[in-house]
Every structure is written in C-alpha cells, then in structure tokens.
Amino acid sequence: KNSVKAMEKELVTCSLQGKEKAALKRSQIFQIPGSKGLETKVIVVLGKAGMGKSILVQKICQDWSNGEFSQFEFVFWFDCKQISLPEKRYSLKDLLLEFFVKPQEGSKEIFEYILQNPAKVLLVFDGFEGLCDHENFPRCSASQPEKDLCSVKELLSGLIQKKILNGCTLLLTARPKDKVYQYVSKVDKTIEIVGFSTQQREVYITKYFKGLPYCDNALKLIKECEYLFSHCYSPVMCRFVCFLCETVLEMGDKSLPSTLTTVFLKFVQQKIIPMQTDVTAMQNQESLATLARIAWYLGEKHQSAMKSDLPSKEVKEFALKYGFFLPFAFPRHSDSEEEEFGSTFSDFVIQNFLGALHLMLAEEIKDKSLTKYLSFPSKKKKPYNWLDLLPRFLAGLLFLQDDPYFCSLSNKDVKQSTRKQNILLKCIRRLQINELCPERLLELLHCIYETQSDYLLQHVALRLKPDLSFLDIVLTPPDVHVLHSILKRSRKEFSLDLRNSSIDMQGLKDLVGLNNVASFRASLSDTVRLWKSLEQTKDYELLRASTEKFVLDPFKAKTMKDVSDLSDLVEMQEKMINCVQDASGCSSYEIPAIKIPAIKNLRKLEFALGPVHGLQGFLKLVEILAAFPSLQHLDLDALSENGIGDEGAKSLSEVFPTLTSLETLNLSQNKITDVGAEKLATALPFLSSLKTLSLYNNSICDFGAENLAKVLPAMTSLRVLEVQYNKITGVGAQQLTDSLRKCPHIKNLVMWNPTIPYGVLEHLQQLDSRISV
C-alpha cells in the first residue's frame, strides 16, 4: 500500500512537459472553457523560484482594484510561508477578515455575504510549497468548517475538497517540482511562468539603468558576460546582476564576475563593506555566519520563514539593515492579543548562497561530508533538493581560496581549502559521468562551471557520452550556456535530443552551430522557427549546416500540433527547393536550394492522436505523405484508437502510388468497414514494396475479405497479412485461403475471427500451414 502511495506521489509531480502550450495574457488567467459555474475552480501557477509568481499575483490584485476581473467582489491574497506555522489555528472568518483585512464595521454581515456568494470570491495562496511538507496533506474534518478553528492546511484542504466555500476560485502558486497535484484532486487550469525572453531581458536592463549616465554601457557589459546574461532570464537574477553591474560601473571597473558564486560573494561584499569599519567588521562576520547557519537549517526543513526572533539584537539589526531578512506580522484573534512577528529571507537565492556559505564556514561540517550536499554523486534518485542552487554555490566556494574577501570570511588557511577542493576532485573522478541521468548531468555541469577549473571542465568534457538526450527535460538559458561551453571543449562528435525541452531559439542556434554537434533532434516548431530566422538574417551557412544535422526519424504524431508542425516542415522544404535566387540576387549556391535530408530520410511514422482528432489529423497528414520518399513504416495502431474509419482509409488509398518505399502498413483498430477495405484493396497493388499489412481489430466482413483476396496475387512483395478480430465468417476465410494458393510469396496469414467456426478455421489451416490462428 505504501509503495503504491509513493508511486502515485511520483506520478502527480506538477509539470507542463508534454502538454500543448500557448502564450497567455493576464486577462485570460481565469477563463476556463467548459467549467461548471457552481463548483470551486482551481488554477495553479507554476514557476521556479524568482520567476515572478508573487509579482504576478500582486499585479492581479492591483488590476482587480482598478476594475479588472470584475467577476470577483472579494480578493484575498495570502503568503503561505507566513501562515504555515502549524500551531496557528484560524476559523475561515479569522483568515479572511482578521488576517488579510479587518473591516471597520459589519464583519458579520460581510462574512455572511461571502458564504452566500462564493462565486464572487478569489482566494490566492502564494507559495503553496510553504504549506506542503513530507507529511500527508490533512483532510478537513471540522463539523462546521466555516466556523471551527483549523490549521491553515486544514482550511485549504476544505476549500480544495469543496467542503468550504464551494464555488469560489482558488489560485495557487508553486514551483514546478513541488507535488501540488498530490494535494489537489482536480486542477482546472495550469499556467507556467517561463521567465524573460532575450528581448525582455534587454528591456528590463535598459529600464533599470534608465536616466543613469552609463545606461548603454551597462547593457553592453552584461551582454558581454554571456553566462550572467543567460541567468537574467530569471527576473530575480536579473535584478541581482543589474545591482552588481551598477556597483561595478560606479567604482569605475570594466568587468563583471564570471560565475554566480562570485556574483553573490560580491553582492554580499558590496552590501556590507561600504558601511563597515574595523570595529564592526568582526561583528558583521559573526552575524553573517549566524544567518548562514539559519539559512541552512531552515532549508533543511523546506522553509524560508521563522516564527522565533533572530538569535541576538546584533544579528537582527544586521539582517534587517542589509536586507537579508524581512519582518512580517502574524494575525491576531483579538485586539487585546499581543502582536507577534516573524522573519523571512528576503530572497530565495540569498538563502541558497548563505546555506552554501554555512557548509563552508561551520566547524561541525566535516570536509569529507561536503560532497553529500552536492546533488550529483548518487545514481539513485534521492529526494528533490529544496535549496536547489546550493550545490552550485558550494562547488564555486570550494574553488575561491584565492579570493581575499572570502578568505576574510572563512578565517581558514589555504591548506584547508585545498584539502576540500581535493575531496571534490576525487568525488568527480569517481563519477560514472556517462551514466548520469539528464537532470544530474546538468547539475554536474553547473557545479563544474562554477569552479571555473580548467582541469574539471576538460575532465567532464572528455567523458560525456556521444548521444545526449534531454527529451522532456526543461533546458533554461543557463543550462544551455554551460552545456554549450563544455561541449565546445570536447573532441568528440555529439548527437543531441532536444525535443520538448522548451529551449529558446538562441540556445538552439548556439548548440546546433557547434562543429562537433553532428546531429540533433528538436521540436519541429522550434526547428522551423530557427530556420526561418536564419533565412531572414541571411545566415545561409548555418542554415545549410543545421538542415543537414537535423534528424526526424522516427517521428510520432500525438497531437494536432505535431501534424501541423510536420506540415510546416514540408512547406519549408518546398520553399527552400523553389528558392533559387532571393531578392538581393545572391547565387543559388548561397541559398540551400536542396531537400532537407531529414524529410528524405524519414522511415518510420507513427500516428496516435486518438478518437477525438484522429480523422481530422490523419486527413491533414495524408496531404503531406508524398513528401517522404523513404517512408517504410506507417503505423496507425494506437492504444487510444485513432478511428480514421472508411473516410481515412479512402483518403490514404489515394496516395498509395506515391508511397513506393512503404514496407509496413499498420491500420489496426481504426473502425474500417467493408467500404474502406474495398477502397484500400483497389489501390494496394501500388505499394510495390509492402511486406506487412495489418488490419487487426476493425469491422471488415466477407465483402471486404473478398476484395482483399482478389488483389493478393498482384501484391508480390507482401509477406504477412493480419485480418484477425474482424467480422469475417467462414465464407470470407475460404476466399482468402483460395487466393493464398496463388500467392507463394506470402508467408503468414493471420485471420482468427470470432465469427469463423473453429472447425472451419482448423480445416483451412490443414489445407495451408501458412494460416495462423
């Protein structure tokens, strides 16, 4: 039972990978087509830490206050980390009208109105992971959940279970790896915040420095440091980089740190150094070490906030003065109750950095135990690391022994630092790098990049396996940067699978442009968009190289978008073939007026759209089948049954003359009747290379079997025919058997049908041993 529960928890991890995606305007967030107006609606907003989830919900609240989202008369917004402390208990009325906002009068009437009009209420729980721990999410067991005192988890559970305020709208924000679906039985809409595009990064940086004398220099300086610029896809990282760039330019320097570790070490240094004297330096150092310890121990518990006060007045003043911590107030049940305060880290990245700093500074952390805090050594899948940037900062700090500021923080001699470095080196030397799963490999690459050790970078580059798959793994701009920088160091040739990785166009361009990337797979829409961009910028050399490297085979169409993307690829090819001279008059040699090899080399095509879009998608696919001259295997047998029916069979039969390389045609489980079988039979002889034809589990009767029997002698390449589980009787079976005598080339005829008497089938098998039951 426990293992089943554990498996379910793995399955319900929140992710949009594999789903069809579309850009969304803020005004569309609460639009849920086909939803029942009377039931609670649950909308989940996913995004990594620092992606702007909290900013989004604040903007939603601001828009509502300005008259937008008028379907809601009440909007309540809660920061989960501030209301998640287990000993605090509230009634729904306390939570809404005491904690969030306290009306001056009429609380009772307002609360009654809310209970009677739940559809007019929006409840926002920002940072849902703050309420999720290793325990099961409690069920709301209160007999009067609107009035009884409950923990926040129980109240939220009641809202989700529709026991409380059924009909309201819940908006939850969480990180992609948090198991939101474990606690939420039904999600009506999932939205993912993916961060800034390249253009948005430039706009943010330009606006940050607007009006300052070094505005143009700032953007240029940040873009020159490609690794830091890639991290600017995250809004919070972009803010940190801009702050540091501002400090650097004010001091007259002309370069930025090259890694995240040095950025944040510099950030801490710039926060503290300008205001400290020799008298306060030692005190600040001790306060920083205390904050680092708190960062680590809270992170261990998946928390960033604490109820208890900071250990001392000095530490509290230090944390608040330099912006490492922010205070917040807990709700009071009555005016006479004394107000309580808590503290929270001002930023998740700062908590990660300070956590890593603690592991370096703490005397109780033994050198040899450091490697267990890196997330790549173990082959087994261990629990997700909540402080996910900590391993990178730790690796970077291990190689900062020469940095004078870090040395002043650590008070440790060079021998100790070198010993810790050697422990990391040994750990990486022992790693079977070619056996790491994609997530762990990326984490390793980030950690190695943070060290900036030529030896380690080269060591990893030489041990990467030639076939690197990132299928269904989200590749962020920093992921692409570290992957690109390490691939560039290797002498091997690589094959990359980047499908469904959400890689941006610049990242795709950089990776496929590497000389030692011999082939790649990527989402068709991304690939076509890249080629169109290269065509517009007249980068014909990279256009030609990338078309030659692109691999399509085998291809599986699972959505209408897959079919549309494949159609766009064929259209792109036709355009390139016809493009002999462009408007500028450049020669045909400069424009790759050739077929895209991937289209020419496609041998296996699977179609699995299911019954809803099966016929519609297949009719669109048939229009482009002639573009694949090497197609050998066309498979329409899907678990969900495509149901192309007679119309699909007729449409396919019309293009048989163009499919001269087709060897295997699987039309099983597609609701084809005698009508479709007749259309297919008429055109089957055109398939001059066909070896296997499967029509298993359709609705073909004797008339269809008769038509197939007539054409079998003309299908000289056919070796296997499968017509089992149809509606053929002994009459049709006899006709197929008679035809089989004229077909010495056929090796196997599978035709067991429930409608053929067993004795008849057994007799026919005795007549011809090639008949299988």
Side-chain angles (χ1 to χ4, degrees), residues 279-568:
V279 180
T280 59
M282 184 62 72
Q283 190 177 311
N284 282 351
Q285 190 175 314
E286 290 172 2
S287 296
L288 190 65
T290 303
L291 287 186
R293 186 173 68 253
I294 293 169
W296 168 251
Y297 286 112
L298 283 179
E300 284 271 82
K301 295 187 288 185
H302 293 196
Q303 293 174 358
S304 57
M306 55 191 289
K307 179 190 174 185
S308 56
D309 216 340
L310 290 164
S312 68
K313 182 185 175 185
E314 290 78 20
V315 172
K316 184 176 180 179
E317 286 179 357
F318 173 83
L320 296 175
K321 180 178 181 181
Y322 297 117
F324 294 117
F325 260 77
L326 295 173
F328 64 88
F330 288 106
R332 290 181 294 179
H333 289 298
S334 65
D335 291 335
S336 59
E337 196 176 314
E338 191 175 335
E339 196 163 21
E340 289 184 86
F341 292 92
S343 304
T344 180
F345 275 98
S346 58
D347 189 270
F348 181 73
V349 189
I350 286 288
Q351 187 179 357
N352 274 262
F353 178 76
L354 292 177
L357 194 60
H358 168 71
L359 294 178
M360 291 294 295
L361 301 181
E363 296 292 339
E364 67 270 23
I365 305 289
K366 303 300 180 189
D367 291 353
K368 287 186 179 179
S369 67
L370 277 178
T371 54
K372 78 178 181 183
Y373 300 114
L374 301 167
S375 55
F376 50 78
S378 170
K379 288 181 189 175
K380 293 181 181 177
K381 194 165 186 177
K382 66 176 186 179
Y384 156 60
N385 191 344
W386 196 73
L387 291 173
D388 55 351
L389 292 176
L390 183 142
R392 305 177 193 182
F393 286 133
L394 180 57
L397 289 172
L398 283 168
F399 278 76
L400 276 180
Q401 62 186 39
D402 297 327
D403 185 282
Y405 181 64
F406 180 62
C407 290
S408 73
L409 282 179
S410 63
N411 274 337
K412 292 186 180 176
D413 58 35
V414 174
K415 282 185 181 177
Q416 279 181 297
S417 299
T418 306
R419 190 169 66 244
K420 288 185 176 183
Q421 274 185 27
N422 289 336
I423 290 166
L424 178 63
L425 290 170
K426 284 178 186 175
C427 169
I428 290 170
R429 283 196 205 102
R430 287 197 301 267
L431 268 183
Q432 297 294 318
I433 292 171
N434 59 354
E435 292 181 11
L436 293 176
C437 67
E439 295 98 330
R440 291 192 181 281
L441 177 61
L442 284 172
E443 191 54 48
L444 171 66
L445 299 187
H446 276 288
C447 290
I448 299 303
Y449 192 90
E450 285 296 318
T451 69
Q452 286 296 289
S453 161
D454 285 329
Y455 167 76
L456 283 178
L457 289 164
Q458 196 63 30
H459 175 85
V460 173
L462 293 174
R463 283 158 182 79
L464 289 176
K465 59 184 177 185
D467 296 321
L468 292 174
S469 174
F470 298 98
L471 176 67
D472 294 333
I473 304 296
V474 175
L475 287 175
T476 63
D479 292 335
V480 174
H481 181 90
V482 295
L483 179 62
H484 178 272
S485 67
I486 290 177
L487 289 179
K488 196 164 59 173
R489 286 174 168 265
S490 181
R491 302 185 195 97
K492 293 180 187 174
E493 284 199 339
F494 292 98
S495 171
L496 302 180
D497 190 346
L498 307 170
R499 287 174 295 168
N500 203 26
S501 65
S502 303
I503 188 170
D504 65 10
M505 192 167 68
Q506 186 60 48
L508 183 60
K509 180 181 175 182
D510 291 342
L511 289 178
V512 304
L514 285 171
N515 291 331
N516 60 340
V517 170
S519 64
F520 76 97
R521 300 197 69 156
S523 299
L524 293 184
S525 53
D526 293 341
T527 307
V528 169
R529 194 159 54 246
L530 172 65
W531 288 343
K532 285 179 178 177
S533 169
L534 293 174
E535 195 176 41
Q536 287 169 1
T537 56
K538 296 184 170 54
D539 191 348
Y540 299 123
E541 187 177 341
L542 183 53
L543 177 59
R544 180 186 286 108
S546 59
T547 55
E548 289 171 357
K549 292 178 181 184
F550 180 62
V551 175
L552 183 60
D553 183 58
F555 183 77
K556 185 171 185 175
K558 294 188 283 188
T559 65
M560 280 297 293
K561 185 177 183 300
D562 291 337
V563 178
S564 298
D565 289 346
L566 193 62
S567 182
D568 289 344

Side-chain angles (χ1 to χ4, degrees), residues 13-82:
T13 300
C14 232
S15 175
L16 274 185
Q17 285 306 97
K19 306 276 175 68
E20 290 195 49
K21 301 174 188 177
L24 198 69
K25 294 178 181 175
R26 206 162 53 249
S27 59
Q28 298 173 304
I29 287 174
F30 300 105
Q31 294 173 9
I32 304 173
S35 68
K36 295 178 182 176
L38 300 175
E39 289 202 341
T40 295
K41 295 177 231 9
V42 180
I43 300 167
V44 174
V45 177
L46 298 175
K48 290 186 175 182
M51 278 296 167
K53 302 184 294 296
S54 298
I55 296 292
L56 172 66
V57 296
Q58 288 172 41
K59 184 70 175 114
I60 288 170
C61 292
Q62 185 186 48
D63 289 348
W64 172 77
S65 69
N66 291 328
E68 294 185 43
F69 308 120
S70 56
Q71 68 267 41
F72 303 118
E73 287 186 26
F74 298 91
V75 174
F76 299 96
W77 167 48
F78 304 100
D79 184 339
C80 289
K81 63 177 175 284
Q82 294 182 13

